[in-house]
Amino acid sequence: MEALGIGQLAKRGGVGIDTVRYYERNGLLAPRTRLASGYRRYGELELARLRFIRRAQALGFHPEGGQGIARPLRGTDVGRVKRSAQAKLSDVEARIAALERVRDGLAKLIAACPGHGRAADCPILRALTEEVEK
């Protein structure tokens, strides 16, 4: 593969040029070489790394954060990656449970609302305006 400029890398990786620069500033990506003019040049390895970071983000990982998902490319042990993925799964499951509670509450309010009449009698509006008792 020929050497890619930053614009070509960004396009093939499905990100903006500023995203590539951001990853460089945070030590997640580095150009393979630089020309005498200072222009960055990237190869297949950098493109693969960029795509890896994007996939990790799609799963909810933040490569620059403490989850260490980009570190396997730097030699971090797989056990740490597995623990990070387990923690992410627990977080996702907790969010799903919270969303299911919201869904169930909304379904009850919708079922109880006749869809006509006075606003003061609407269970949805009452639920939104009532103070939560402690």
Side-chain angles (χ1 to χ4, degrees), residues 53-73:
I53 293 168
R54 286 194 59 234
R55 288 184 195 115
Q57 287 179 321
L59 290 173
F61 292 98
H62 300 286
E64 66 278 4
Q67 297 160 323
I69 199 66
R71 287 183 180 80
L73 299 177

Side-chain angles (χ1 to χ4, degrees), residues 118-123 125-126:
R118 297 178 334 130
D121 296 332
C122 176
L125 292 174
R126 278 198 316 262

Side-chain angles (χ1 to χ4, degrees), residues 96-117:
I96 289 171
L99 286 171
E100 287 174 341
R101 288 190 298 275
V102 169
R103 180 199 59 209
D104 294 346
L106 281 172
K108 287 177 185 176
L109 290 171
I110 291 167
C113 182
H116 55 81

Side-chain angles (χ1 to χ4, degrees), residues 4-55:
L4 302 173
I6 192 169
Q8 295 167 307
L9 177 76
K11 185 174 182 177
R12 289 188 56 191
V15 301
I17 291 173
D18 288 338
T19 300
V20 173
R21 289 185 180 129
Y22 174 81
Y23 291 156
E24 285 185 21
R25 281 192 307 272
N26 287 286
L28 297 172
L29 189 67
R32 180 175 46 162
T33 60
R34 281 189 184 260
L35 301 176
S37 62
Y39 287 106
R40 300 166 175 93
R41 289 294 178 246
Y42 304 88
E44 285 293 328
L45 180 64
E46 293 80 23
L47 179 59
R49 181 183 259 292
L50 180 60
R51 288 176 174 160
F52 173 87
I53 293 168
R54 286 194 59 234
R55 288 184 195 115

